[in-house]
Amino acid sequence: MSDVRDEARAAKPAEAGATGDFIWYELMTPDPEGAKAFYDSVIGWTIGEAAPKFNGYRMIGRSDGGFAGGVLPLTAEMQRHGARPVWLGYVSVPDVDQATAEIVKAGGTALMPAFDIPGVGRIALVADPQGAAFYVMKPTPPEPKAQSDVFSPTAQQRAGWNELNTSDPAAARSFYASQFGWDTGDFMDMGDLGEYRFIDHRGTRLGALCGVMPGAKPAWRFYFRVPSIAAAKEAVEARGGSVGMGPHQVPTGDWIIIGTDPQGAEFALVGGQ
């Protein structure tokens, strides 16, 4: 399976980022055409054509000409090995092998060993001690050196919030602080639901971590920004997706929804009413 993923990700541009930054987002799906029809309509992206020489990897284009991430087709072989529709985030590190070793030492898991993608960088798929999966990556920056802009707290069509749902918030706080230097000291008390711990890094609020809901598994959730949540909800339902939570307003004044796309991947949106 690693050969397939190696070739696929060679289509992804290398982008630089400081340690602990989210520098890429990737949708794994068994139906890239269906995903394109859904997300292009809901978020306003233009998901590109499949690159045959890279096993169908697609770039997610934004209206401003930049990229929001990529789409990796889930083959039958990948699904036989347990891969399922999901959004995954990439976190920048200076040394992928060392980061992976430290993650394992801290109780995490190396789900896919580190490997190189010529012209793109070195990556590894890992999971934190509670089982939430993510990638670590050291990009090969182009010249002149580029800074990843796939995450923005305010810009449309980009991830604006990274939320970790975990079975052990205290342990997760310690783990991510030790690995990436994230500060989770600030929090909002949600009563019976526990503390909603904000993730601050280098002067930017990346998102938050909180306890997992009953029956759910630890996982990262990414909120993509749209102009109107009401309009996006209509598009979600018109295109065959479902909304499991929301719309409801959050303390920032934004509105959110959490749903499932037609292929089975959970997604979340944030924006105006």
Side-chain angles (χ1 to χ4, degrees):
M1 185 172 73
S2 62
D3 291 341
V4 173
R5 302 175 73 93
D6 189 358
E7 294 180 3
R9 286 192 178 79
K12 181 166 72 67
E15 296 178 310
T19 300
D21 284 353
F22 279 92
I23 57 171
W24 197 251
Y25 298 94
E26 185 172 272
L27 172 64
M28 296 171 58
T29 180
D31 181 7
E33 280 295 328
K36 171 179 171 58
F38 179 78
Y39 288 104
D40 284 5
S41 175
V42 171
I43 300 180
W45 289 334
T46 301
I47 296 178
E49 296 299 318
K53 67 180 294 186
F54 299 122
N55 294 287
Y57 199 88
R58 297 170 182 243
M59 303 295 288
I60 302 175
R62 304 190 310 247
S63 298
D64 64 2
F67 296 106
V71 177
L72 177 67
L74 278 178
T75 65
E77 178 187 357
M78 291 176 181
Q79 293 177 78
R80 283 195 297 271
H81 282 84
R84 296 292 180 267
V86 67
W87 279 97
L88 293 172
Y90 284 66
V91 179
S92 180
V93 295
D95 186 318
V96 169
D97 296 84
Q98 181 179 347
T100 302
E102 290 295 328
I103 286 168
V104 171
K105 183 178 178 181
T109 306
L111 300 176
M112 180 183 295
F115 63 96
D116 291 310
I117 306 171
V120 175
R122 187 165 179 82
I123 69 172
L125 178 61
V126 298
D128 67 24
Q130 289 69 51
F134 60 97
Y135 283 96
V136 288
M137 180 178 189
K138 180 182 180 181
T140 301
E143 295 296 338
K145 187 176 180 180
Q147 184 73 22
S148 173
D149 68 351
V150 296
F151 169 77
S152 168
T154 59
Q156 298 291 325
Q157 299 183 6
R158 307 182 201 190
W161 196 252
N162 307 285
E163 184 179 83
L164 174 64
N165 294 267
T166 178
S167 56
D168 190 339
R173 290 181 62 201
S174 177
F175 172 81
Y176 286 100
S178 69
Q179 302 305 310
F180 306 128
W182 292 349
D183 180 0
T184 55
D186 194 10
F187 69 95
M188 178 175 63
D189 189 345
M190 300 194 300
D192 292 341
L193 297 178
E195 296 173 345
Y196 194 70
R197 287 276 175 177
F198 298 108
I199 301 170
D200 294 313
H201 182 56
R202 298 191 307 116
T204 298
R205 182 148 288 180
L206 297 180
L209 67 83
C210 57
V212 70
M213 297 298 288
K217 296 181 179 180
W220 280 96
R221 176 184 295 140
F222 308 107
Y223 291 74
F224 298 101
R225 184 166 289 278
V226 296
S228 166
I229 286 295
K233 180 177 182 293
E234 289 184 7
V236 166
E237 295 168 343
R239 287 290 183 172
S242 61
V243 175
M245 186 172 75
H248 74 250
Q249 194 171 26
V250 294
T252 61
D254 283 322
W255 292 73
I256 65 168
I257 59 173
I258 299 171
T260 304
D261 70 24
Q263 292 71 46
E266 183 187 81
F267 68 92
L269 303 176
V270 58
Q273 187 174 12

